[in-house]
Amino acid sequence: MLRDEFLSLAMKHGGTQSTAELWWAEVESHYREEHRRYHTLEHLAEMLDLLRGESDAVLAAMWFQDVIYDRRGSNEERSADVAREALTDLQFPRATIDLVERLILATKTHAPGDLPPETHVLLDADLAILGAPRERYERYIEGVRYEYSWVPEAMFRAGRAGVLRAFAEKEQIFLTAAMHERFEETARENLAWELDGIED
């Protein structure tokens, strides 16, 4: 159960259950927002399945990376701010909080920069949807389009094609050996299939 997993991590460094419960309510309410169709609790659960057992920093970044997701922009920066407030409240070590902030900001470009290699798994898990079975990938596309329903169709298609091409042109989409082996081939097939549909 997502709540139990969150509380277990949240109380690991001395945070009280009541404080952890308050932050879970905050996180859950954001991921249940009406304008979301992909960046939801389902997305969190799918990432958790890939990240269970990883470091506290990776797991905390997972919970908070999309806590703010709306059309006003600066979502990663605002999510990182919420993470810093929450993890400070929950008595996480300062070094962990700083790393969580860097991890969340890295999801904006999916460029690892100088992040520790053991944390690259977060960026890969965030992109794992690209290597999902086609039925799930189609639901992902529909969800993203719904979340950008305010963008005119031609503008959305052009922007989406640019994003897809950027990933397709990477020498390697997934940074870690395990995720590369598991998702790379299917991700490239999905990207090519979606691009064909957009550019027809």
Side-chain angles (χ1 to χ4, degrees), residues 102-167:
R102 290 169 58 206
L103 280 166
I104 293 173
L105 294 177
T107 65
K108 190 169 188 173
T109 61
H110 287 93
D114 62 353
L115 287 171
E118 65 271 16
T119 66
H120 294 177
V121 66
L122 174 77
L123 303 181
D124 280 357
D126 194 35
L127 295 180
I129 190 65
L130 300 180
R134 185 60 53 82
E135 180 182 352
R136 176 66 181 107
Y137 188 78
E138 289 177 349
R139 285 203 297 115
Y140 153 68
I141 295 171
E142 291 168 1
V144 170
R145 184 63 185 107
Y146 182 91
E147 291 177 347
Y148 282 86
S149 58
W150 49 277
V151 178
E153 182 66 18
M155 187 181 298
F156 176 82
R157 289 167 72 90
R160 179 70 179 169
V163 170
L164 297 176
R165 280 194 218 97
F167 282 120

Side-chain angles (χ1 to χ4, degrees), residues 1 17 48-49 112-113 115 128 143:
M1 189 176 176
Q17 179 157 352
L48 182 59
D49 283 344
L115 287 171

Side-chain angles (χ1 to χ4, degrees), residues 6-18 20-21 90 92:
F6 179 89
L7 294 181
S8 176
L9 176 68
M11 294 188 290
K12 196 170 179 181
H13 297 281
T16 64
Q17 179 157 352
S18 60
E21 293 272 12
L90 294 164
F92 273 58

Side-chain angles (χ1 to χ4, degrees), residues 157-178:
R157 289 167 72 90
R160 179 70 179 169
V163 170
L164 297 176
R165 280 194 218 97
F167 282 120
E169 290 168 2
K170 284 179 177 283
E171 183 176 341
Q172 185 170 315
I173 297 171
F174 296 93
L175 301 167
T176 61

Side-chain angles (χ1 to χ4, degrees), residues 46-199:
E46 289 172 339
M47 289 188 69
L48 182 59
D49 283 344
L50 296 170
L51 296 175
R52 196 172 276 110
E54 295 292 337
S55 70
D56 291 351
V58 166
L59 290 169
M62 180 209 76
W63 288 109
F64 287 98
Q65 67 161 346
D66 292 316
V67 72
I68 303 298
Y69 189 83
D70 60 42
R71 60 189 290 180
R72 289 178 291 167
S74 301
N75 290 320
E76 291 84 4
E77 291 82 358
R78 290 157 62 209
S79 293
D81 288 344
V82 174
R84 179 170 288 280
E85 181 184 355
L87 299 178
T88 299
D89 239 8
L90 294 164
Q91 301 182 38
F92 273 58
R94 175 65 181 271
T96 301
I97 296 172
D98 290 344
L99 180 53
V100 168
E101 182 175 27
R102 290 169 58 206
L103 280 166
I104 293 173
L105 294 177
T107 65
K108 190 169 188 173
T109 61
H110 287 93
D114 62 353
L115 287 171
E118 65 271 16
T119 66
H120 294 177
V121 66
L122 174 77
L123 303 181
D124 280 357
D126 194 35
L127 295 180
I129 190 65
L130 300 180
R134 185 60 53 82
E135 180 182 352
R136 176 66 181 107
Y137 188 78
E138 289 177 349
R139 285 203 297 115
Y140 153 68
I141 295 171
E142 291 168 1
V144 170
R145 184 63 185 107
Y146 182 91
E147 291 177 347
Y148 282 86
S149 58
W150 49 277
V151 178
E153 182 66 18
M155 187 181 298
F156 176 82
R157 289 167 72 90
R160 179 70 179 169
V163 170
L164 297 176
R165 280 194 218 97
F167 282 120
E169 290 168 2
K170 284 179 177 283
E171 183 176 341
Q172 185 170 315
I173 297 171
F174 296 93
L175 301 167
T176 61
M179 297 276 197
H180 179 81
E181 182 176 351
R182 181 172 176 181
F183 295 117
E184 187 87 16
E185 183 177 353
T186 304
R188 293 194 177 279
E189 291 171 357
N190 283 334
L191 291 170
W193 172 78
E194 188 182 355
L195 271 169
D196 282 346
I198 289 175
E199 296 174 338

